[in-house]
Amino acid sequence: MGKSLYAAYGSNLNIGQMKYRCPTANVYGKGKLKDYQLLFRGAENNAYLTIEAKTASEVPVVIWSIQAKDERNLDRYEGYPSFYYKEDIEVELDTGETITAMVYIMTDKIKDRINLNLPSNSYLAAVKEGYKEFAFNLKYIEEALKISKN
């Protein structure tokens, strides 16, 4: 396995955290996952972002070009395959180009992770920092918090 493309929508938008986890990763571009929405799932005050299909919604993403070692590091961080599974997904880049990139989606294998809940303050801060670094609108996070609070 050589280089591949990875679509990040959560804490891996945070440049500092991503460079720590995946030192050889480089930003490939920014884009959107069409017909998906963000949600926080997990234990109370310990939920993490995931995506799920929802017509007429979108999720902003950063596409990282990663090496095999980076992907192994991400697999460990994301708890693959028990906590998150991987799926190849179409991403519409800001340039108008459509690419295929790997994305992590939360599984339903760990029962306390399937409930909608709110994240820890530190996780939320890391995600918001990534949103600011890439000039994404925080409305996506605010909407995910609103949905997940119920």
Side-chain angles (χ1 to χ4, degrees), residues 8-36:
Y9 56 81
S11 64
N12 288 332
L13 294 175
N14 185 296
I15 293 171
Q17 287 191 21
M18 190 63 179
K19 285 298 181 186
Y20 174 77
R21 286 182 200 117
C22 303
T24 63
N26 292 301
V27 174
Y28 181 87
K30 297 188 322 184
K32 290 190 172 53
L33 303 179
K34 297 287 189 177
D35 296 323
Y36 281 88

Side-chain angles (χ1 to χ4, degrees), residues 35-75:
D35 296 323
Y36 281 88
Q37 72 175 348
L38 281 175
L39 299 169
F40 288 96
R41 292 195 181 276
E44 189 174 344
N45 295 315
N46 194 28
Y48 298 92
L49 279 170
T50 190
I51 57 171
E52 72 176 24
K54 183 178 181 192
T55 304
S57 291
E58 63 185 21
V59 174
V61 294
V62 169
I63 305 302
W64 294 92
S65 174
I66 60 172
Q67 305 280 344
K69 183 179 180 183
D70 297 322
E71 186 168 343
R72 287 190 299 272
N73 291 344
L74 286 171
D75 285 350

